[in-house]
């Protein structure tokens, strides 16, 4: 059996033999198919990239039919239970789990970047954030401040230098929680306070967020652990919308701060990382279990979507949602049960039995339960996508690095099918009918 695809062009009767590699054909191989030798040649048309592999990647594997997610080969369930966010971030960036010595050095490096970078955060980012009115959405501030960091670290422009890239990746992972905490404090009108030392990655973030001036702060260990698990679950998800934005912007050799600001902007949307905020709004709007059937009927008639349900790749239960549901119960043991949980559980039960959702293979995704946990932990809804961004920063930088090291990649530049007017002559305004 030959690993080729034979295409017959019925317009010309010509046959073309196209190689199949790794179960795919190269879109560029279609270019030889033409009626007239002078014409451009055939392209594939794939709006929203439903069936286009944009890269080769060794980072994250998803099997959407079987509900499998692995980072560098490790099942997400094992990493959520046994790893930590910083260890997982190393795994994503470097390809292997760190040795104990490597993990110690990595933790120290992240601490050092967080500490050194804090002078930039303290002065410049604080001044920048101060320009946003109280009540500004934290995600808008987060992406603006991350983009602005490129002006403090101009050496980050050396994106083709492997060592510089490594430094910026660590720096971004180290500084994302600080920027996020600033954004949240500013949005609720609270002043910046310096964090307590020695609290670890997730503990320091909570300290920067919740500490009150002059008072010591110690995060609740169970809540700190739950948030760390959520960071692990959100750390990467192969070529999703924001990661594609990161790769696409990075392909122009923009510095990683600018690329990450663009990725965060993509994450902001309600169909992507903004969905957990939308889920909570939806649960509040439904309010009680008896109002669910009417809500489901509205969704089925095309009036809005069941937020936190459905996924481009998962056509079964999102494995992250399973872990999050379990984590939710652990968090509620500390914080007390979120009353909206009953609405969420009943909504899930009804949706999983309803023909509309079953036929379209719509299951709960990562965002369905995460908002409930975040709310129980005291986060404002506007902070939810920013929490997603902290975890996803590890994946964004790992994917950015992989893209720059991939000799097959070039500046991203899709083609189009032009459907507009043909050439026509300009007419002066007063002569237009
Ligand atoms: N509620 C009701 N109907 C839905 C939903 C939903 N949540 N999701 C998809 N559908 C329907 C859709 O109307 C369409 O029906 P029909 O074939 O009759 O026109 C069918 O299912 C296929 O939908 P699609 O829009 O073609 O699917 P997609 O792959 O383009 O969209 C999605 C994927 C995640 C954007 C979508 O399922 C959605 O909008 N979900 C709600 C938002 C959400 O929870 N997003 C978080 C995604 S996971 C985390 C992340 O990526 O950040």
């Amino acid at each position: 059996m030959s690993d080729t695809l034979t295409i017959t062009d019925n317009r010309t009767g010509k046959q073309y033999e196209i190689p199949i590699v790794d179960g795919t054909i190269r879109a560029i191989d279609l270019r030889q198919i033409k009626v007239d030798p002078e014409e451009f040649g055939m392209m594939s048309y794939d709006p929203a990239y439903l069936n286009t592999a944009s890269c080769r990647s060794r980072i994250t594997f998803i099997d959407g039919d079987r509900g499998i997610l692995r980072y560098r080969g490790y099942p997400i369930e094992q990493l959520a239970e046994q790893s930590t966010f910083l260890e997982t971030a190393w795994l994503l960036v470097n390809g292997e789990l760190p040795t104990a010595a490597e993990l110690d050095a990595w933790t120290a490096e992240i601490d050092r970047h967080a500490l050194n970078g804090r002078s930039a955060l303290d002065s410049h980012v604080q001044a920048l954030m101060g320009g946003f009115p109280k009540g500004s959405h934290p995600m808008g501030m987060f992406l603006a401040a991350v983009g602005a960091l490129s002006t403090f670290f101009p050496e980050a422009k050396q994106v083709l230098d492997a060592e510089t890239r490594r430094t910026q990746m660590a720096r971004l992972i180290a500084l994302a929680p600080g920027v996020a905490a600033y954004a949240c404090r500013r949005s609720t009108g609270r002043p910046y306070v310096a964090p307590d030392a020695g609290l670890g990655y997730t503990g320091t973030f909570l300290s920067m967020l919740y500490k009150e001036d002059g008072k010591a702060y110690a995060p609740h260990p169970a809540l700190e652990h739950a948030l760390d698990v959520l960071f692990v679950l959100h750390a990467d998800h192969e070529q999703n919308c924001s990661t594609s934005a990161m790769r696409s912007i990075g392909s122009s050799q923009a510095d990683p701060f600018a690329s990450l600001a663009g990725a965060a902007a993509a994450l902001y949307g309600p169909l992507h990382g903004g969905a957990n905020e939308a889920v909570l709004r939806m649960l509040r709007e439904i309010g009680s279990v008896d109002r669910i059937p009417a809500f489901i009927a509205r969704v089925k008639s095309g009036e809005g979507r069941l937020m936190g349900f459905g996924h481009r790749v998962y056509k079964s239960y999102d494995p992250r949602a399973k872990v999050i549901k379990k984590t939710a119960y652990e968090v509620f043991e500390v914080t007390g049960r979120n009353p909206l949980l009953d609405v969420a559980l009943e909504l899930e039960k009804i949706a999983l039995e309803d023909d509309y959702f079953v036929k379209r293979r719509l299951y709960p995704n990562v965002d369905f339960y995460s908002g409930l946990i975040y709310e129980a932990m005291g986060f404002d809804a506007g902070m939810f996508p920013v929490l997603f961004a902290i975890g996803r920063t590890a994946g964004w930088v790992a994917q950015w690095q992989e893209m720059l090291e991939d000799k097959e990649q070039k500046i991203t530049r899709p083609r189009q099918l032009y459907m507009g007017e043909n050439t026509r002559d300009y007419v002066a305004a007063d002569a237009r009918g």
Side-chain angles (χ1 to χ4, degrees), residues 48 50 234 237 240-242 267 269-276 278-279 299-300 304-315 318 320 356-357 360-362 365-368 388 392:
L50 293 178
H234 286 92
H237 213 231
N240 57 84
C241 179
S242 58
L267 188 70
L271 298 189
H272 192 8
N276 48 16
V279 169
V299 169
K300 283 163 64 175
R305 292 199 157 187
L306 175 49
M307 299 311 283
F309 257 69
H311 198 275
R312 172 64 59 80
V313 183
Y314 292 121
K315 298 304 168 198
D318 182 335
R320 301 168 299 174
Y356 174 96
F357 298 92
R360 289 170 179 76
R361 303 178 71 188
L362 302 170
N365 60 47
V366 69
D367 290 314
F368 193 65
F388 194 152
R392 187 55 59 85

Side-chain angles (χ1 to χ4, degrees), residues 79 82-94 96-112 166 170 173 200-201 228 232:
L79 293 170
Q82 296 171 58
S83 184
T84 61
F85 174 67
L86 266 196
E87 187 182 63
T88 298
W90 168 282
L91 171 71
L92 288 169
V93 167
N94 296 292
E96 296 296 335
L97 283 169
T99 62
E102 283 169 337
L103 183 58
D104 283 350
W106 173 241
T107 306
E109 186 183 350
I110 296 293
D111 279 352
R112 201 173 54 249
R166 230 196 81 77
I173 292 168
Y201 186 83
D228 203 72
V232 170

Side-chain angles (χ1 to χ4, degrees), residues 14 30 52 54 68 80 85 92 117 136 138 157 184 187 197 199 207 212 223 262 299 327 373 378 418:
K14 270 199 208 161
L30 300 175
T52 293
S54 63
I68 292 173
F85 174 67
L92 288 169
S136 297
K157 292 195 186 325
C184 186
S187 103
L199 292 176
S207 162
E212 283 176 46
L223 300 187
V299 169
T327 308
I373 303 187
Y418 178 69

Side-chain angles (χ1 to χ4, degrees), residues 118-132:
R118 210 160 281 147
S119 60
L121 294 188
D122 283 354
S123 49
H124 305 292
V125 176
Q126 236 188 112
L128 182 77
M129 295 279 188
F132 292 106

Side-chain angles (χ1 to χ4, degrees), residues 134-139 141 180-190 205-206 209-210 227 268 273-278 280-281 284 338 370-388 390:
K134 185 180 160 195
S136 297
H137 197 289
M139 195 64 172
M141 289 191 271
Y182 262 117
C184 186
R185 290 188 83 102
R186 179 67 204 152
S187 103
T188 49
R190 286 173 297 150
F205 166 64
L206 288 168
L209 196 57
Y210 290 130
L227 189 57
Y268 198 174
N276 48 16
E277 196 180 342
L280 212 69
R281 267 201 310 274
R284 281 207 197 99
N338 188 324
S370 60
L372 289 174
I373 303 187
Y374 292 148
E375 187 178 67
M377 289 172 81
F379 293 108
D380 295 318
M383 195 59 189
F384 299 174
V386 179
L387 294 166
F388 194 152
I390 295 174

